[in-house]
Amino acid sequence: MTKAIGLEVSLAIAEAVKQANVDVVAAYPITPQTHIVEELSVYVANGELDAEYIPVESEHSALSAAVGSSAAGARTYTATAAQGLAFMHEILFITSGLRLPVVMTVANRAMSAPISIWNDHGDIMAERDIGWIQIFAENGQEAYELTIAAFKIAEDRKVLLPICVNVDGFILTHMIEPVTFIDQKKIDDFLPPYSPALTLDPDKPATFGPVGVPEVYIESRKQCEQALLNSKAVVQQVLEDWGKSCGGKYKLVEKNGNDKAKILFITMGSLGETTMTAVKELEESGESAGQVRIRLWRPFPREEFLEAIADADELIVIDRALSPGAHNGPVAQEIKALLFNESKRPKVHNVIAGLGGRDVTVKDFQKMYAMAKADELGPNYLIWGVRSDA
Amino acid sequence: MLNLPELENFEKITAKNIPTENYISPGHRACQGCAEILALGMVMKVAGPNTIVANATGCMEIVTSPFPQTAWKIPWIHVAFENTSAVASGIEAGIKAMSRKGRYSKELPNIIAVGGDGATADIGIQALSGALERGHNFLYVCLDNEAYMNTGIQRSSSTPYGASTTTSPFGSHSIGQTTWKKDMPAIAAAHNIPYVATANPGFHLDLMNKVKKALTINGPAYLHIYSACPTGWRSKPEKGIEVSKLAVQTKVFPLYEIINGKLTITKKINKPKPVVDYLKTQRRFAHLKEDDIKLIQEGVDEQYSKLLYLEGDTQES
Ligand SMILES: Cc1ncc(C[n+]2csc(CCOP(=O)(O)OP(=O)(O)O)c2C)c(N)n1
Ligand code: SF4
């Protein structure tokens, strides 16, 4: 491993895709993802990356082309955000339904309307149920390393599912962070070329995507779900191996702060870094605060999560998306549903914070903590920072 | 510019050397007398075993693939209704990259995207335009049965003027379809691709040779195939080929090809039959009055003169 260099995270992600030696990049620009595919086009243009770069005419076609190339047996990458992801919606289901290991970066961004280019998780939360593996990076190094690991996970014969690596738009994508690149040789050893089980091969003709009559549809969906559930073990294994060979250390669920803390923040994505500072300061002032970071969002790491919160009395679940009409954000819904049948159930507060790029600071987390202690966060959810004069 | 080098040693398909092998098996579920499946079968005979097909949602997809059966003897993929050109782009790009990197060692396959008129002229036109513009080496086949048949005979932008469909029904206030058929081959040709042609299963050798040319040429090719649909047109199942022939003989569906921008009418109609002969074979036109038929006749004549003009015009330059 070499020295860290300061680099925009988007460019580090592009480097990861290059080092993964992809065969096809299907690209359509949307802020804040654009720098990734721009950089990849440069790599292809100057011969640093031997891949077909398809400058498609829409995100719908980006994912459709990705489906085609992956079905043909090629290692395939694309990236998008917000409206682009929503435009892919129909094909997202088809990618997982056809069991194609496409890797996609989602530079998380708020959904229109009103149009906002800034970060929240509204885009990916609207795509919770698509059968993709969904993983969240918290900083630049993670974004880089998880992108490479994503290919390994998705292409594992036991998995064969598409995967999206979520990186917070701007907060991560446009930030210059220290990133340590991994030796190409190490990556090549870790990630050999994609060897698919079944492709569109004239020597072994197969029919992809036939009509699912009522006699088989349920079973095929069940198989897909089972594949997603089974992928957890592979994700864990790959991240562990990755740690051993390349230095990064990743768990599906990570704890930070006092191990026995009574009040835990639950975070996903880059806000976790700010929370970490808040937790540290709270602890220094004698509070019992901790943090649990969810790295794998789909399949949800149920056992690991329950273990991580075993000693807590209260959880402050931070959501970066609204689920209108549901009385809780998507992450809180997940956690409440998970706890319902457990004998020990911590109290769950839900704070929806940072929508559309609104800043959430260390002070905000300290205030949330104080409010949780004083039981002022309310029984369901609280949208943080709504201006009363708005 | 006019002659493509790939076509120099082009060996024509004739009654003597017509391919006999089928790549779509019998037992598919197309309606009796469906000319769309006949046309598709002809395309596949020419394409042969080293072919990958991306099929849009629609009749041909549904009737050939109810799991656990498949009528396809070659690799085939269905993804969605509107994206078959993008899927084909991906297949082509993927194989190209793998071949360059030494991971695909066989001869490059033919890549064919297949869509109905809805999948082509309406919902899928963007993906088609994108793929043609980018220059992928694939053949797009539009099977034009002039409506959305798979969902039950709704109008499309390729439905001809006056046809009654379930969303353009004739009634006391409507003639049926009120717009003229979208000129899809012209739209494809406007992308300046090397090969565009129209074909018709009633003229099977012409059709097959066009497929062969389209697959021989490097780059995107577009083939627009007239596909009689007895179910949607309310015509007699046994008359599919007869109706198809009439469409050409009446100049309703002229046969031509555009190679590198040069248009040639491949079946000249010097003594056309009246359009009414064609219209009366299908109950979708049964409500039309004399004046309507006159209007349609004028429209058909005008379209044909335009083709003649284009043919002459390009010859001069
Ligand atoms: C996005 C989307 N909209 C609508 C449909 C429903 N649908 C399926 S096939 C079809 C019509 C197909 O018509 P066409 O392309 O002309 O092919 P044909 O069935 O006539 O061969 C429609 C509307 C769909 N599958 N996907
Ligand atoms: S509805 Fe028409 S196009 Fe569809 S299978 Fe039947 S005859 Fe063929």
Side-chain angles (χ1 to χ4, degrees):
Chain A
M1 193 165 281
T2 47
K3 230 171 80 229
I5 55 164
L7 189 73
E8 190 187 303
V9 172
S10 286
L11 308 188
I13 294 170
E15 178 73 19
V17 175
K18 184 188 93 183
Q19 288 189 298
N21 192 10
V22 297
D23 300 312
V24 173
V25 176
Y28 198 80
I30 182 169
T31 306
Q33 167 278 124
T34 317
H35 290 180
I36 304 174
V37 292
E38 281 178 350
E39 183 74 354
L40 284 167
S41 75
V42 174
Y43 288 149
V44 173
N46 61 23
E48 278 180 84
L49 169 60
D50 184 3
E52 284 296 309
Y53 188 90
I54 319 181
V56 278
E57 81 297 334
S58 75
E59 286 88 354
H60 196 284
S61 285
L63 193 56
S64 303
V67 164
S69 82
S70 187
R75 179 170 290 163
T76 306
Y77 175 81
T78 187
T80 193
Q83 307 308 119
L85 185 66
F87 196 20
M88 290 176 175
H89 180 70
E90 176 198 28
I91 314 303
L92 291 167
F93 287 89
I94 294 171
T95 319
S96 51
L98 292 178
R99 306 281 306 274
L100 297 170
V102 171
V103 173
M104 173 160 73
T105 304
V106 177
N108 301 111
R109 163 180 157 180
M111 292 296 300
S112 286
I115 190 165
S116 158
I117 55 168
W118 295 276
N119 167 250
D120 70 31
H121 294 166
D123 56 358
I124 193 64
M125 287 307 159
E127 308 294 352
R128 254 184 335 182
D129 303 330
I130 52 176
W132 285 50
I133 299 170
Q134 303 186 19
I135 201 161
F136 276 81
E138 203 160 293
N139 58 42
Q141 187 69 33
E142 289 186 16
Y144 164 71
E145 294 190 356
L146 291 176
T147 301
I148 299 168
F151 288 98
K152 177 91 171 176
I153 294 165
E155 294 171 4
D156 190 300
R157 288 279 183 98
K158 295 197 284 298
V159 177
L160 293 178
L161 281 173
I163 179 167
C164 67
V165 182
N166 290 281
V167 291
D168 283 325
F170 288 111
I171 301 175
L172 283 184
T173 54
H174 286 56
M175 212 46 78
I176 294 178
E177 289 199 13
V179 180
T180 307
F181 289 126
I182 297 158
D183 231 33
Q184 186 65 49
K185 168 89 183 58
K186 268 191 182 172
I187 293 175
D188 292 343
D189 290 345
F190 177 73
L191 184 68
Y194 173 36
S195 142
L198 198 65
T199 62
L200 293 166
D201 177 0
D203 287 349
K204 279 182 271 163
T207 292
F208 281 58
V211 175
V213 292
E215 289 74 20
V216 301
Y217 182 83
I218 296 179
E219 287 71 15
S220 87
R221 296 312 292 186
K222 163 109 177 73
Q223 283 180 2
C224 260
E225 198 209 7
Q226 200 55 52
L228 184 63
L229 293 172
N230 293 346
S231 73
K232 190 182 89 174
V234 178
V235 178
Q236 197 154 22
Q237 189 61 49
V238 168
L239 294 186
E240 215 168 279
D241 295 349
W242 186 228
K244 277 185 211 135
S245 60
C246 300
K249 273 236 169 311
Y250 300 105
K251 288 190 184 146
L252 309 185
V253 172
E254 282 171 12
K255 269 191 101 161
N256 167 50
N258 180 354
D259 217 32
K260 301 268 178 252
K262 292 297 163 204
I263 301 185
L264 293 178
F265 286 102
I266 313 294
T267 63
M268 217 157 66
S270 67
L271 259 191
E273 299 259 294
T274 321
T275 319
M276 207 154 101
T277 313
V279 163
K280 195 158 159 262
E281 288 181 8
L282 281 165
E283 288 205 317
E284 280 165 8
S285 58
E287 298 291 337
S288 177
Q291 178 191 16
V292 169
R293 306 187 293 191
I294 301 168
R295 166 149 296 109
L296 183 65
W297 168 235
R298 281 291 181 271
F300 194 84
R302 183 190 161 84
E303 292 75 22
E304 290 76 3
F305 182 80
L306 288 175
E307 199 192 313
I309 61 153
D311 294 317
D313 294 333
E314 295 184 46
L315 309 179
I316 307 172
V317 180
I318 312 292
D319 258 295
R320 295 203 85 170
L322 266 174
S323 179
H327 309 292
N328 274 287
V331 182
Q333 284 174 47
E334 186 83 22
I335 289 168
K336 285 188 177 175
L338 193 82
L339 291 172
F340 189 78
N341 283 338
E342 296 297 312
S343 49
K344 181 174 183 290
R345 290 202 295 258
K347 190 168 184 175
V348 179
H349 309 282
N350 184 203
V351 178
I352 292 168
L355 298 187
R358 186 76 58 85
D359 226 8
V360 192
T361 64
V362 172
K363 271 210 172 63
D364 288 314
F365 287 108
Q366 289 174 338
K367 200 166 154 201
M368 288 174 207
Y369 181 85
M371 283 174 78
K373 265 181 91 172
D375 209 12
E376 284 170 1
L377 283 177
N380 289 318
Y381 71 104
L382 183 73
I383 305 181
W384 194 258
V386 180
R387 292 194 348 245
S388 55
D389 58 347
Chain B
M1 167 81 172
L2 289 186
N3 283 324
L4 289 165
E6 296 99 310
L7 292 184
E8 262 160 31
N9 300 317
F10 184 79
E11 193 202 340
K12 265 191 131 179
I13 296 173
T14 64
K16 281 190 186 144
N17 64 3
I18 200 163
T20 50
E21 195 65 39
N22 288 316
Y23 297 92
I24 300 174
S25 323
H28 57 71
R29 288 133 193 245
C31 311
Q32 265 190 28
C34 172
E36 187 153 314
I37 193 90
L38 284 183
L40 188 56
M42 292 176 194
V43 172
M44 292 312 302
K45 266 177 181 292
V46 181
N50 192 25
T51 302
I52 298 173
V53 168
N55 204 156
T57 315
C59 273
M60 291 306 100
E61 169 258 334
I62 298 283
V63 304
T64 57
S65 80
F67 188 86
Q69 297 168 337
T70 179
W72 292 90
K73 295 190 193 169
I74 49 104
W76 177 92
I77 184 168
H78 161 254
V79 181
F81 187 21
E82 63 282 41
N83 64 350
T84 189
S85 311
V87 176
S89 305
I91 297 170
E92 187 249 17
I95 290 178
K96 210 156 128 190
M98 290 189 298
S99 161
R100 197 167 58 226
K101 292 173 168 188
R103 299 212 318 281
Y104 192 96
S105 43
K106 291 170 279 198
E107 192 193 333
L108 293 181
N110 300 312
I111 292 162
I112 302 183
V114 176
D117 48 293
T120 307
D122 294 339
I123 200 166
I125 197 168
Q126 172 182 309
L128 172 61
S129 174
L132 296 181
E133 173 271 325
R134 289 190 301 272
H136 296 278
N137 187 13
F138 80 121
L139 164 62
Y140 189 95
V141 175
C142 171
L143 296 168
D144 184 6
N145 57 21
E146 303 191 324
Y148 302 152
M149 295 310 176
N150 180 51
T151 34
I153 330 173
Q154 295 86 24
R155 61 86 76 185
S156 78
S157 61
S158 198
T159 301
Y161 177 81
S164 184
T165 74
T166 57
T167 52
S168 64
F170 84 90
S172 58
H173 289 62
S174 173
I175 188 176
Q177 177 88 344
T178 53
T179 53
W180 295 88
K181 187 179 173 77
K182 187 186 271 185
D183 191 352
M184 200 52 223
I187 293 170
H191 289 76
N192 291 324
I193 56 173
Y195 192 80
V196 174
T198 61
N200 179 317
F203 298 83
H204 61 292
L205 288 177
D206 177 78
L207 184 151
M208 288 190 187
N209 277 305
K210 283 171 174 168
V211 173
K212 196 173 170 197
K213 277 187 204 172
L215 292 173
T216 306
I217 283 170
N218 227 324
Y222 177 89
L223 190 57
H224 195 100
I225 306 183
Y226 175 93
S227 303
C229 166
T231 308
W233 295 4
R234 312 253 186 260
S235 54
K236 292 204 172 96
E238 67 274 22
K239 299 272 182 189
I241 293 300
E242 209 175 301
V243 173
S244 303
K245 286 197 164 143
L246 268 174
V248 175
Q249 290 156 352
T250 55
K251 302 191 295 192
V252 165
F253 190 89
L255 295 177
Y256 59 90
E257 65 186 4
I258 306 171
I259 301 181
N260 258 346
K262 184 196 180 301
L263 187 143
T264 311
I265 299 174
T266 51
K267 178 93 189 127
K268 275 273 165 59
I269 308 300
N270 296 324
K271 287 195 196 127
K273 294 187 175 167
V275 168
V276 67
D277 287 8
Y278 170 75
L279 297 177
K280 69 185 182 201
T281 60
Q282 303 152 54
R283 276 203 354 253
R284 62 175 172 157
F285 298 119
H287 59 285
L288 295 180
K289 308 230 163 47
E290 223 169 276
D291 281 356
D292 306 325
I293 293 171
K294 195 166 159 265
L295 195 70
I296 294 172
Q297 179 73 60
E298 281 165 16
V300 164
D301 290 342
E302 199 180 307
Q303 266 308 104
Y304 198 82
S305 330
K306 198 169 130 192
L307 288 179
L308 285 174
Y309 171 78
L310 287 172
E311 192 178 41
D313 204 34
T314 45
Q315 266 171 353
E316 273 166 34
S317 61

